[in-house]
Amino acid sequence: MSKMQEFQLTSEEIEKYNIRAPRYTSYPTVPNWNKDDFTPTDYLKFLEEIKEINDPLSLYIHIPFCARRCLFCACNTIITSRPERSSNYLSYLKKEILAVSNILADNRKVMQLHLGGGTPTHFTPEELDDLFSFISDKFQFENNAEKSIEVHPTVTNNRHIDVLSDYNFNRISMGVQDFTKVVQEKLNRYQTYEETIELINSARSNGFEGVNVDLIYGLPYQTFEGFMSTIDQIFNLKPDRIAMYSYAHFPQIYRHHKGIPLDVIPSGENKLDIFLAARQKLLDNSYKQVGFDHFSVEGDELWTSFQNQTLRRNFMGYSTKAGLDLVAFGWSGISELRNSYAQNSKNMEEYQLLIDKFGVATIKGHKMTKEDIIRKEIIMNILCQIEVDFTKIEKKMDVSLDYLKIEANKRLTELEKEGFVINHDNKLSLTQKGQIFARIVASVFDEYLSNEHKFSTVV
Ligand SMILES: C[S@@+](CC[C@H](N)C(=O)[O-])C[C@H]1O[C@@H](n2cnc3c(N)ncnc32)[C@H](O)[C@@H]1O
Ligand code: SF4
């Protein structure tokens, strides 16, 4: 019996449910923000308002540069080989860190630091050293702070690892996507298994306790066999966490996606077939599914926080550091503070002009309404706990959710009939099939969802 039969998914159902839906790294999603909520001055004022709160912080630093463009990429990147671009950018990051730390650093310690990109190790080891020394001087870190970084193995060397280790980085996240040679060649991404394992070994012997690996299923030119053999190779790397992302194709946003012929992208049915087989392989090899696209080993904090219902989701994806205020630095960075979102400019010239003028480069944001907060809680429960206990939320937020249940009733009844959810005792529980399509279940409670916005397909 094929995996799709086991999940009682027919071709018609896959076509019906493989629709576009947000990945909900925020709610409301970025296109629905009330953009005027934050100017740089508003953001600075807002930081002043929250500076006395004694909770620890999570910091995110975006380093957008990459030496070459992987043709599948949907990240906020700038392709460059000019070293002065990095050094100039570093000087702006430091100005921004200084402005924010002047307000927040007296009262608020850092519990989590994450460097994302782009490719943060596009910075030279000396530039990283400079950045870490600066940030360690400006902010106080908790002793057990999680420090993590995204790397591409081919541009990361042992000197990078040494610097990261000097600053007690403990989690490394490695992009792999697919080891199949022809897929890599066609997509302008070159990375051997040998390079990858060598870097992972070097990180582990330098004190990194956590190793994440990113994979993408449904990539252009990907085959079922090729991805299965990638998964077999991944087992040898023994990552404690694996992100298995669904390929997001956005030719209307990324010019480089336009050049990918549609007939080399696996169909929805083939994509789901690849995902279900890979998922089963991971489960058979002691990995646990966390949320809809992550896997971890059993003792891992990601798995325990999923089980004890403290897992959260933000712009970095699934996070074990529940509810921390997230302050982002850098071009395009998105902060999530209290019940607000704020985003930096995505135009490098504007980013630098604003930093020179204000110390921060916020150009838009959103202050959540009470309704947003309620719906976000439900949506995040669906994606992070695979269950919503309405009674619990009603008590916690002191509201009645009857109006929402009435609004959602028609779609939930349909999803229940088709085996995605079970409605019981004022709770909504997702079945295994529902977990895979969790984004669709979540979208039932999205007040802003409209066809105008472009999201990726759910499988
Ligand atoms: C910033 S990159 C990771 C670090 C490094 N730049 C690299 O590629 O190895 C973050 C991850 O986003 C995922 N990603 C990029 N483009 C994607 C797409 N079109 N669809 C789904 N996932 C994508 C990849 O798994 C990638 O590893
Ligand atoms: S290296 Fe990573 S961020 Fe850079 S283009 Fe490739 S996938 Fe995108």
Side-chain angles (χ1 to χ4, degrees):
M1 185 163 58
S2 85
K3 277 278 135 211
M4 279 191 289
Q5 285 167 329
E6 196 183 314
F7 274 87
Q8 296 174 328
L9 278 159
T10 59
S11 306
E12 292 72 37
E13 265 187 319
I14 294 165
E15 190 148 331
K16 180 170 168 197
Y17 287 108
N18 189 21
I19 55 171
R20 293 182 183 275
R23 297 177 64 239
Y24 292 113
T25 50
S26 72
Y27 180 81
T29 53
V30 181
N32 295 298
W33 290 358
N34 183 8
K35 295 188 177 56
D36 299 334
D37 277 0
F38 281 102
T39 62
T41 334
D42 296 331
Y43 183 62
L44 288 170
K45 242 194 261 158
F46 186 68
L47 293 181
E48 286 286 349
E49 279 166 33
I50 61 166
K51 73 176 181 190
E52 305 289 349
I53 299 167
N54 228 343
D55 298 345
L57 291 174
S58 172
L59 306 183
Y60 172 78
I61 303 179
H62 193 75
I63 301 179
F65 305 112
C66 295
R68 56 170 9 134
R69 188 182 305 285
C70 310
L71 297 180
F72 59 81
C73 183
C75 303
N76 285 330
T77 57
I78 294 172
I79 308 300
T80 183
S81 52
R82 284 168 40 210
E84 69 278 11
R85 288 204 77 172
S86 295
S87 51
N88 186 36
Y89 184 69
L90 172 59
S91 68
Y92 279 92
L93 277 180
K94 285 161 73 177
K95 288 183 199 180
E96 193 182 2
I97 291 168
L98 179 65
V100 174
S101 65
N102 277 342
I103 303 174
L104 290 185
D106 278 350
N107 291 314
R108 308 199 57 175
K109 285 192 174 173
V110 177
M111 188 61 198
Q112 185 182 36
L113 169 66
H114 182 71
L115 267 72
T119 303
T121 45
H122 189 89
F123 268 10
T124 62
E126 292 70 28
E127 285 165 343
L128 283 184
D129 195 348
D130 190 359
L131 175 64
F132 299 150
S133 141
F134 190 81
I135 202 163
S136 312
D137 189 43
K138 301 298 166 216
F139 280 99
Q140 291 180 66
F141 283 75
E142 300 277 4
N143 288 338
N144 58 344
E146 179 183 282
K147 294 184 179 174
S148 56
I149 182 163
E150 293 168 20
V151 303
H152 182 332
T154 60
V155 300
T156 311
N157 59 42
N158 283 333
R159 289 194 307 119
H160 284 112
I161 298 290
D162 286 343
V163 172
L164 292 165
S165 158
D166 288 346
Y167 288 92
N168 302 320
F169 270 70
N170 39 34
R171 182 162 285 285
I172 196 160
S173 181
M174 198 127 346
V176 169
Q177 332 309 349
D178 188 322
F179 276 129
T180 315
K181 202 160 172 244
V182 57
V183 176
Q184 292 193 359
E185 278 171 2
K186 293 277 192 191
L187 297 177
N188 196 36
R189 181 173 179 109
Y190 304 90
Q191 165 186 358
T192 63
Y193 167 78
E194 289 72 24
E195 284 165 325
T196 311
I197 195 159
E198 202 180 307
L199 188 69
I200 289 184
N201 288 340
S202 163
R204 286 206 168 107
S205 58
N206 277 281
F208 280 82
E209 286 157 16
V211 174
N212 297 27
V213 161
D214 292 345
L215 301 173
I216 305 180
Y217 69 94
L219 272 176
Y221 304 97
Q222 186 173 74
T223 61
F224 183 92
E225 293 72 25
F227 197 62
M228 293 310 122
S229 100
T230 294
I231 299 276
D232 285 332
Q233 288 174 295
I234 294 297
F235 291 140
N236 296 334
L237 308 177
K238 299 192 173 47
D240 38 69
R241 297 179 189 173
I242 297 171
M244 197 156 71
Y245 297 122
S246 163
Y247 170 60
H249 186 68
F250 288 120
Q252 67 280 31
I253 300 176
Y254 303 106
R255 238 185 315 151
H256 53 279
H257 281 194
K258 273 198 189 126
I260 298 173
L262 285 181
D263 62 357
V264 302
I265 304 176
S267 66
E269 197 167 338
N270 288 343
K271 213 172 159 185
L272 188 62
D273 207 18
I274 294 173
F275 174 79
L276 290 178
R279 171 185 174 275
Q280 192 59 51
K281 241 174 176 328
L282 292 170
L283 298 181
D284 290 345
N285 282 273
S286 311
Y287 281 91
K288 301 282 179 191
Q289 187 173 0
V290 176
F292 62 92
D293 61 0
H294 275 59
F295 296 83
S296 83
V297 292
E298 194 162 358
D300 190 82
E301 203 188 334
L302 197 70
W303 171 244
T304 46
S305 65
F306 177 53
Q307 278 197 309
N308 62 28
Q309 307 201 325
T310 56
L311 185 71
R312 286 289 179 276
R313 207 169 154 71
N314 59 22
F315 287 99
M316 299 185 286
Y318 283 112
S319 168
T320 56
K321 305 283 173 261
L324 292 184
D325 276 336
L326 169 67
V327 183
F329 300 100
W331 174 85
S332 81
I334 299 179
S335 303
E336 183 178 351
L337 298 154
R338 298 292 109 178
N339 290 318
S340 295
Y341 296 110
Q343 181 166 30
N344 280 349
S345 173
K346 268 178 149 179
N347 173 315
M348 189 56 92
E349 211 175 309
E350 184 181 41
Y351 168 76
Q352 297 182 348
L353 279 172
L354 292 174
I355 295 285
D356 278 334
K357 193 161 173 203
F358 300 100
V360 293
T362 325
I363 52 142
K364 64 176 177 186
H366 183 83
K367 288 189 176 153
M368 278 178 245
T369 62
K370 188 165 182 227
E371 185 65 24
D372 291 339
I373 296 168
I374 294 169
R375 288 177 187 257
K376 179 184 176 192
E377 180 76 14
I378 296 174
I379 285 173
M380 293 304 168
N381 275 217
I382 291 171
L383 298 177
C384 300
Q385 300 169 14
I386 309 301
E387 179 178 274
V388 189
D389 184 336
F390 292 109
T391 311
K392 238 190 202 170
I393 297 180
E394 284 174 324
K395 266 199 201 138
K396 181 175 153 188
M397 301 194 147
D398 193 20
V399 284
S400 160
L401 297 176
D402 289 348
Y403 72 103
L404 266 181
K405 284 182 273 173
I406 293 168
E407 179 193 297
N409 184 45
K410 188 162 167 253
R411 285 187 69 197
L412 289 182
T413 308
E414 192 185 340
L415 288 171
E416 183 159 27
K417 219 165 70 202
E418 307 217 3
F420 291 90
V421 296
I422 303 165
N423 245 314
H424 61 108
D425 309 322
N426 209 23
K427 279 186 192 163
L428 183 72
S429 301
L430 278 67
T431 59
Q432 278 195 46
K433 179 162 127 178
Q435 185 170 359
I436 292 162
F437 288 86
R439 288 161 63 186
I440 293 195
V441 183
S443 72
V444 171
F445 295 94
D446 184 340
E447 195 183 14
Y448 300 91
L449 200 64
S450 84
N451 289 329
E452 286 160 43
H453 302 309
K454 301 280 177 271
F455 300 108
S456 54
T457 50
V458 290
V459 290

